[in-house]
């Protein structure tokens, strides 16, 4: 026999061990489990008496697979859903229900009248049939492949049966009902109640888990409630102990809702508390770079005024927010979120100029070489426009010299790299644009004031940290840009320690993009015609493939082989280019430049063109095997067109027979493609995507700094997130370090829920 011990295992954080009073370790827990971060909420106070819950070794192993290593974990193994078994029916009632075709889950109290000898069906299943009855009648039952039923039941046995009511050959029956034998002196456990259904495994059923949880409840003392009474009452919340009991053993439906509300609140509240706490601590303690406020005739503002278009109001607001942050003494941590094509680059360049005009260096880091090169080009072009091609036309001749901009990627030639690095170190280079190469050790800035990180989702927390540490004078300001649009409340949860600017409007005069779905060769032919027509009127087209090389495993059209075929057979009179991730950097750049300059008409590509590529003359985006791409990816790819003055067309091509709706994989693909075809709203698509793929995805990139959510769902609990955020701000306004007596348990829980040191602010300036 082993046992689960109350409370939690010691964490590697010494003061936590002390505070825990050395809570015990599950007897056979492996070292890595002991070292693991705490999960969920802290349920017990330090002084709680330890009373073990006995479990067999086999069960212990099964529990561990479900990541349950302590009573604490067990009690926070929340039900996935509940089924209502409060109503007991008679067999006569079942027959009436069946007659009116009111089929569904039912439960009855009955006796086994007959059990037939099992037999094999034509499909090889073992079938057990029988009859059960009560005083109002009898009904047949069947089980498939459940031989154990014969051992558990015998004629005359009395039990509660629950299962789905059905009819077979005109006869009413229960199919594979679950049952609980009636034993004298014991109250039925799974009957007449609302039953929680747990995430379970083949070794440990939901019922078994429920029994274990019941045992645990018999042995634990009080569950500590860290939330002050005043807050609890204001938000009409149950006590934590009650919520915990009721989520597992509700008496009525309403209990489940109230319990869930409390537990969701707890997770979100301490999460927000930690995020706001960390942010404020950072603002108080970390020395950043203070930039000068831009004035009307400063570089940054004159740059904006020199643009050939008018800023959208969202862009203007974002620029002001950035400028405001950059003039503070603490470092900016701002997320710039914007729909594809909303014009994030302009805001980024503005921020860079604010840094440069204050005498600091700026850096822009992109996730791929293609994108870094793209940024380099765009920035140079934008600056050329503002400064004129040469010094004579330099608008800024009086106030400054023209900024020096350099590109640094993994494939920058050695001599050029040397020169650039020297310039970065002595301050000659004002703006450095590049890939991950920027955060290598060899790169030493003289006085980095701002770092812009493009397409945040490709960067981990670690890269961000490395970039931060490049600041020689103080922590540089950081502006993170992402084109994966998520609603503000969601962003607050996920990027809670970042401030957020959202570009939620597209520049005026954008041409609409028509999105259609093309099926099979017939659909493809029509798209080829469209491409010919567009090229004939001077436009260009992208054709994107999921794979680079032909693969026999999956019969997908691949970029390389298709580029050949298209050039030779389909568009013999057009210029067809090819770009993919495996090409050398200069080859890639040549292909991109040729396309940008209009030398190629059709660019065959892999997803290297997904982000950032800006060729306003391109009006067709054909995506092959579109079902293979994520929604966000499709939306990104679509964002490569519709950037100029011409109407544009996105075609999602697939070889799936989308009408074959009985195939569930095809049905899902059809639904997703349809979603992309019917909306150009990136926010909407992102939400659809999240619903399809689950929220885990979102947290992936940030995992290392975030506590786990077991009950709360960011998509579902938006209102609660808002309330929790406001409350966190309110509490920390009144008590910044959570030192007040009634906040001590709260402070402890906040610390416990965040991974080690996640809340500690390390001074690096
Ligand atoms: P994204 O937000 O997708 O990175 P970009 O910054 O690449 O968007 O901008 C897309 C295109 O729109 C670029 O060609 C850019 O010059 C142009 N653009 C940016 N802001 C405006 C504006 N306010 N009006 C018109 N065009 C704009
Ligand atoms: Mg961009």
């Amino acid at each position: 026999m082993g046992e689960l011990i109350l409370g939690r295992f010691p964490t590697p954080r010494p003061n936590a061990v002390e505070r825990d009073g050395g809570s015990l370790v599950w007897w056979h827990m492996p070292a890595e489990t002991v070292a693991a971060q705490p999960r969920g909420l802290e349920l017990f106070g330090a002084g709680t008496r330890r009373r073990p819950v006995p479990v067999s070794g086999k069960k212990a192993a099964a529990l561990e697979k479900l990541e349950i290593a302590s009573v604490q974990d067990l009690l926070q193994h929340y039900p996935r859903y509940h089924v209502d078994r409060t109503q007991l029916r008679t067999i006569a009632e079942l027959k009436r229900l069946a007659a009116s075709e009111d089929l569904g889950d039912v439960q009855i109290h009955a006796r086994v009248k007959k059990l037939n000898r099992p037999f094999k069906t034509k499909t090889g299943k073992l079938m057990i049939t029988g009859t059960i009855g009560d005083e109002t009648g009898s009904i047949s039952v069947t089980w498939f492949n459940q031989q154990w039923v014969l051992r558990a039941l015998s004629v005359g046995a009395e039990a509660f049966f629950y299962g789905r009511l059905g009819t077979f050959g005109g006869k009413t029956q229960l199919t594979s009902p679950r049952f609980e034998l009636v034993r004298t002196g014991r109250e039925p456990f799974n009957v007449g109640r609302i039953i929680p259904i747990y995430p379970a495994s083949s070794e440990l059923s939901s019922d078994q888990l429920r029994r274990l949880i019941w045992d645990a409840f018999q042995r634990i003392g009080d569950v500590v409630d860290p939330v002050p009474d005043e807050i609890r009452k204001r938000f009409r919340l149950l006590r934590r102990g009650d919520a915990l009991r009721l989520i597992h053993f509700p008496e009525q439906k309403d209990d489940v809702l109230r319990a869930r509300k409390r537990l969701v609140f707890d997770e979100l509240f301490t999460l927000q508390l930690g995020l706001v706490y960390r942010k404020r601590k950072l603002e108080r303690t970390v020395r950043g770079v203070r930039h000068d406020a831009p004035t009307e005739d400063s570089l940054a503002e004159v740059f904006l005024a020199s643009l050939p278009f008018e800023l959208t109001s969202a862009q203007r607001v974002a620029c002001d927010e950035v400028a405001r942050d950059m003039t503070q003494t603490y470092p900016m941590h701002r997320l710039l979120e914007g729909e594809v094509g909303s014009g994030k680059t302009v805001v980024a360049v503005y921020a860079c100029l604010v840094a440069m005009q204050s005498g600091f260096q700026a850096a822009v880091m992109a996730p791929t070489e293609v994108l870094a090169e793209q940024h380099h080009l765009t920035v140079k072009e934008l600056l050329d426009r503002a400064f004129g091609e040469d010094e004579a036309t330099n608008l800024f001749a009086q106030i400054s010299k023209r900024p020096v901009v350099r590109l640094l990627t993994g494939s920058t030639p050695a001599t050029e790299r040397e020169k650039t690095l020297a310039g970065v170190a002595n301050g000659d280079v004002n703006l450095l644009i590049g890939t991950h190469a920027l955060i290598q050790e060899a790169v030493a800035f003289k006085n980095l004031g701002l770092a812009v990180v493009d397409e945040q989702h490709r960067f981990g927390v670690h890269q961000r940290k490395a970039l931060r540490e490049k600041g020689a004078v103080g922590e540089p300001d950081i502006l993170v840009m992402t084109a994966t649009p998520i609603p503000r409340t969601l962003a607050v949860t996920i990027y809670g320690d970042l401030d957020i600017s959202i570009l939620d409007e597209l520049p005026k005069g954008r041409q609409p993009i028509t999105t259609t779905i093309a099926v099979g060769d017939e659909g493809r032919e029509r798209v080829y015609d469209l491409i010919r027509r567009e090229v004939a009127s001077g436009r260009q087209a992208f054709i994107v493939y999921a794979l680079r090389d032909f693969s026999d495993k999956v019969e997908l059209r691949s970029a390389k082989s298709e580029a050949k075929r298209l050039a030779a057979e389909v568009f013999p009179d057009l210029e067809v280019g090819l770009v993919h991730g495996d090409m050398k950097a200069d080859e890639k750049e040549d292909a991109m430049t040729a396309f940008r300059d209009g030398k190629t008409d059709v660019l065959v590509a892999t997803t290297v063109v997904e982000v950032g590529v800006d060729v306003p003359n391109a009006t067709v985006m054909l995506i092959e095997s579109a079902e293979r791409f994520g929604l966000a990816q499709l939306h990104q790819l679509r964002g490569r067109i519709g950037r100029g003055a011409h109407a544009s067309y996105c075609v999602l091509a697939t070889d799936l027979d989308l009408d074959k709706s009985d195939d569930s994989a095809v049905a899902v693909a059809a639904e997703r493609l349809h979603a992309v075809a019917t909306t150009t709203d990136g926010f909407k698509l992102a939400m659809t995507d999240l619903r399809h793929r689950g929220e885990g995805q979102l947290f992936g990139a940030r995992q290392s700094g975030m506590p786990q959510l077991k009950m709360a769902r960011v998509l579902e609990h938006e209102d609660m997130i808002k309330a929790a955020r406001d409350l966190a701000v309110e509490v920390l306004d009144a008590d910044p370090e959570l030192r007040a007596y009634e906040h001590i348990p709260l402070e402890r829980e906040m610390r416990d829920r965040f991974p080690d040191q996640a809340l500690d602010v390390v001074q690096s300036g």
Side-chain angles (χ1 to χ4, degrees):
M1 288 291 266
E3 50 194 29
L4 285 168
I5 306 279
L6 188 66
R8 243 197 29 220
F9 27 92
T11 67
R13 200 165 56 235
N15 57 352
V17 176
E18 201 185 319
R19 276 198 317 239
D20 281 358
S23 51
L24 291 190
V25 175
W26 188 16
W27 70 286
H28 78 256
M29 207 179 334
E32 60 270 26
T33 314
V34 179
Q37 294 298 343
R39 300 181 281 252
L41 312 163
E42 176 66 75
L43 299 180
F44 307 108
T48 320
R49 270 198 304 160
R50 303 163 194 144
R51 272 189 294 174
V53 177
V55 285
S56 72
K58 231 172 99 190
K59 254 191 202 145
L63 281 166
E64 209 176 315
K65 277 196 200 149
L66 293 170
E67 295 191 19
I68 298 171
S70 68
V71 173
Q72 161 96 21
D73 291 343
L74 185 63
L75 296 184
Q76 295 187 64
H77 191 69
Y78 298 130
R80 257 191 307 169
Y81 56 93
H82 294 77
V83 290
D84 188 354
R85 277 194 208 132
T86 46
Q87 270 203 31
L88 210 54
R89 305 264 188 193
T90 63
I91 287 178
E93 276 177 318
L94 295 195
K95 291 192 166 158
R96 273 201 302 277
L97 286 173
S100 58
E101 299 209 6
D102 187 1
L103 306 173
D105 286 328
V106 294
Q107 61 173 336
I108 53 171
H109 176 218
R111 228 175 246 288
V112 179
K113 294 201 154 164
K114 209 164 118 195
L115 269 181
N116 302 316
R117 199 201 279 249
F119 61 92
K120 284 241 154 101
T121 64
K122 269 179 268 167
T123 52
K125 284 185 190 155
L126 180 80
M127 184 151 164
I128 300 169
T129 60
T131 312
I132 57 173
D134 64 8
E135 52 282 5
T136 68
S138 55
I139 184 175
S140 56
V141 282
T142 54
W143 287 273
F144 292 97
N145 288 339
Q146 286 177 279
Q147 191 144 27
W148 60 271
V149 168
L150 291 174
R151 289 191 300 273
L153 286 182
S154 53
V155 173
E158 190 185 340
F160 292 97
F161 294 86
Y162 29 88
R164 183 154 284 266
L165 182 62
T167 53
F168 188 76
K171 266 177 37 184
T172 313
Q173 70 164 24
L174 281 179
T175 312
S176 298
R178 289 148 50 100
F179 52 84
E180 181 176 346
L181 289 168
V182 175
R183 300 202 181 104
T184 36
R186 245 183 91 168
E187 220 194 307
F189 195 63
N190 284 319
V191 182
R193 296 170 184 278
I194 295 171
I195 308 298
I197 305 297
Y198 293 98
S201 66
S202 56
E203 291 121 48
L204 204 58
S205 69
S206 182
D207 282 354
Q208 285 172 310
L209 277 161
R210 185 146 174 268
R211 266 174 208 289
L212 266 174
I213 293 171
W214 179 259
D215 285 349
F217 267 110
Q218 308 313 308
R219 286 157 201 267
I220 61 169
D222 282 345
V223 167
V224 168
D225 195 335
V227 173
D229 275 354
E230 184 275 314
I231 293 178
R232 198 169 51 74
K233 287 187 183 133
R234 176 153 38 122
F235 286 84
R236 293 169 205 271
L237 300 168
L238 293 176
R239 284 177 199 286
R240 183 179 284 177
D242 294 338
L244 202 62
R245 192 170 43 78
L246 288 175
I247 198 74
H248 293 295
F249 301 98
E251 311 265 319
Q252 45 186 338
K253 274 186 181 164
D254 191 44
D255 290 344
V256 177
L257 298 180
R258 289 189 307 153
R260 193 176 284 148
K261 176 177 169 191
R262 170 64 212 252
L263 297 170
V264 165
F265 171 87
D266 283 354
E267 291 187 349
L268 295 175
F269 180 44
T270 34
L271 169 70
Q272 292 301 337
L273 207 57
L275 291 171
V276 175
Y277 173 86
R278 175 163 63 192
K279 186 163 177 303
R280 293 198 168 174
K281 186 141 185 175
L282 209 80
E283 291 174 0
R284 277 201 308 274
T285 55
V286 177
R287 189 164 61 96
V289 176
R290 217 182 68 77
H291 295 95
D292 303 332
T295 57
E296 214 175 299
D297 53 5
S298 63
L299 220 64
E301 288 298 331
V302 176
F303 159 74
L304 290 185
S306 77
L307 289 171
F309 43 72
E310 205 176 313
L311 288 191
T312 64
S313 48
Q315 279 172 318
R316 184 66 250 185
V317 169
C319 285
D320 292 344
E321 285 168 341
V322 165
R324 200 185 57 216
D325 281 2
M326 288 181 71
T327 51
Q328 304 294 327
T329 48
Y330 57 83
M332 163 170 82
H333 291 116
R334 186 167 281 280
L335 178 72
L336 177 61
E337 251 194 40
E339 176 64 279
V340 178
S342 58
K344 294 185 287 293
T345 315
V346 169
V347 181
V349 174
Y350 175 82
C352 292
L353 290 171
V354 171
M356 291 187 264
Q357 75 192 11
S358 310
F360 292 99
Q361 291 169 302
V364 176
M365 184 156 85
T368 65
E369 291 199 1
V370 167
L371 196 52
E373 280 149 15
Q374 165 85 41
H375 275 314
H376 185 230
L377 271 180
T378 312
V379 169
K380 278 210 318 210
E381 218 174 88
L382 285 171
L383 293 180
D384 275 348
R385 201 141 51 194
F387 288 93
E389 294 286 344
D390 53 58
E391 291 300 320
T393 49
N394 182 359
L395 283 174
F396 305 98
Q398 277 80 43
I399 47 174
S400 68
K401 76 176 181 59
R402 181 194 181 83
V404 176
V405 183
R406 289 286 178 268
L407 177 68
L408 184 71
T409 68
S411 49
T412 306
T415 47
E416 198 183 318
R417 180 185 147 84
E418 296 284 291
K419 264 209 308 230
T420 301
L421 288 182
V424 170
N426 69 21
D428 285 349
V429 172
N430 305 108
L431 173 57
L432 185 62
I433 298 175
T435 53
H436 285 81
L438 288 196
I439 47 174
Q440 283 162 359
E441 274 188 30
V443 187
F445 288 88
K446 178 169 179 244
N447 60 354
L448 183 64
L450 167 81
V452 178
V453 178
D454 194 12
E455 306 299 346
Q456 142 88 8
H457 57 293
R458 304 265 180 107
F459 277 111
V461 177
H462 299 296
Q463 281 95 333
R464 227 173 82 196
K465 187 160 164 283
L467 198 46
R468 216 155 57 205
E469 283 160 6
K470 287 280 171 206
V473 267
E475 263 196 29
D477 287 326
I478 294 186
L479 180 66
V480 178
M481 301 198 287
T482 177
T484 306
I486 44 177
R488 190 180 286 271
T489 44
L490 245 168
V492 160
T493 318
I494 298 157
Y495 308 107
D497 44 358
L498 299 176
D499 291 298
I500 298 164
S501 296
I502 298 186
L503 301 185
D504 52 4
E505 105 191 77
L506 291 181
K508 275 195 239 65
R510 278 284 152 81
Q511 290 300 313
I513 303 175
T514 312
T515 309
T516 53
I517 300 174
V519 178
D521 284 333
E522 199 187 319
R524 201 166 281 118
E525 282 308 323
R526 280 204 306 271
V527 191
Y528 292 158
D529 284 342
L530 169 72
I531 291 175
R532 281 188 204 101
R533 280 200 306 276
E534 284 295 300
V535 171
S537 50
R539 306 283 86 76
Q540 291 165 283
F542 290 103
I543 304 183
V544 174
Y545 294 89
L547 292 181
R548 259 191 313 270
D549 291 300
F550 182 77
S551 141
D552 340 308
K553 264 189 256 144
V554 234
E555 228 188 81
L556 288 176
R557 287 158 191 275
S558 72
K560 264 188 185 172
S561 57
E562 283 289 287
K564 280 199 200 110
R565 185 184 71 89
L566 289 166
E569 296 167 23
V570 184
F571 304 120
D573 46 337
L574 306 185
E575 281 304 318
V576 177
L578 171 66
V579 63
H580 59 73
D582 255 7
M583 284 162 63
K584 288 213 193 71
D586 51 342
E587 292 172 351
K588 247 188 292 186
E589 184 46 31
D590 289 348
M592 289 307 300
T593 308
F595 190 62
R596 235 176 250 127
D597 295 347
K599 296 205 180 82
T600 37
D601 306 304
V602 177
L603 185 64
V604 176
T606 56
T607 49
V608 293
V609 298
E610 178 191 337
V611 281
V613 171
D614 190 22
V615 182
N617 192 46
T619 53
V620 183
M621 168 61 71
L622 166 58
I623 305 168
E624 287 282 357
S625 309
E627 76 279 1
R628 307 268 305 192
F629 295 85
L631 294 192
Q633 242 181 339
L634 291 174
H635 186 60
Q636 277 286 327
L637 287 169
R638 175 167 58 186
R640 297 313 108 213
I641 55 170
R643 302 188 144 237
H646 315 283
S648 297
Y649 309 90
C650 175
V651 184
L652 311 172
T654 176
D655 286 312
L656 294 178
D657 180 3
L658 293 184
D659 293 333
K660 226 170 74 188
S661 56
D662 53 334
D663 182 334
S664 68
V666 173
V668 169
E671 194 189 324
R672 292 171 67 250
L673 295 185
H674 189 70
V676 178
T678 48
T679 180
T680 47
D681 181 339
F683 281 81
K684 245 195 216 156
L685 278 176
M687 295 306 268
T688 309
D689 208 19
L690 276 179
R691 292 206 173 88
H692 275 289
R693 297 193 301 172
E695 323 190 327
Q697 198 78 23
L698 260 181
F699 283 93
R702 302 217 87 218
Q703 235 160 25
S704 52
M706 297 288 278
Q708 223 188 31
L709 298 179
K710 283 170 174 266
M711 178 71 83
R713 294 283 166 270
V714 285
L715 296 181
E716 229 174 276
H717 301 126
E718 247 189 271
D719 292 348
M720 188 67 100
I721 291 174
K722 257 186 233 158
R725 179 86 178 175
D726 293 346
L727 184 61
V729 168
E730 178 194 314
V731 169
L732 288 169
D733 273 349
D735 184 9
E737 288 291 333
L738 298 176
R739 293 246 167 82
Y741 180 71
E742 75 269 26
H743 292 152
I744 291 172
L746 211 51
E747 193 256 0
R748 182 183 164 194
E749 172 149 307
M750 174 185 85
R751 289 199 173 276
D752 279 336
R753 287 201 61 215
F754 278 80
D756 238 19
Q757 285 160 12
L759 294 179
D760 298 335
V761 176
V762 187
Q763 188 113 19
S764 66

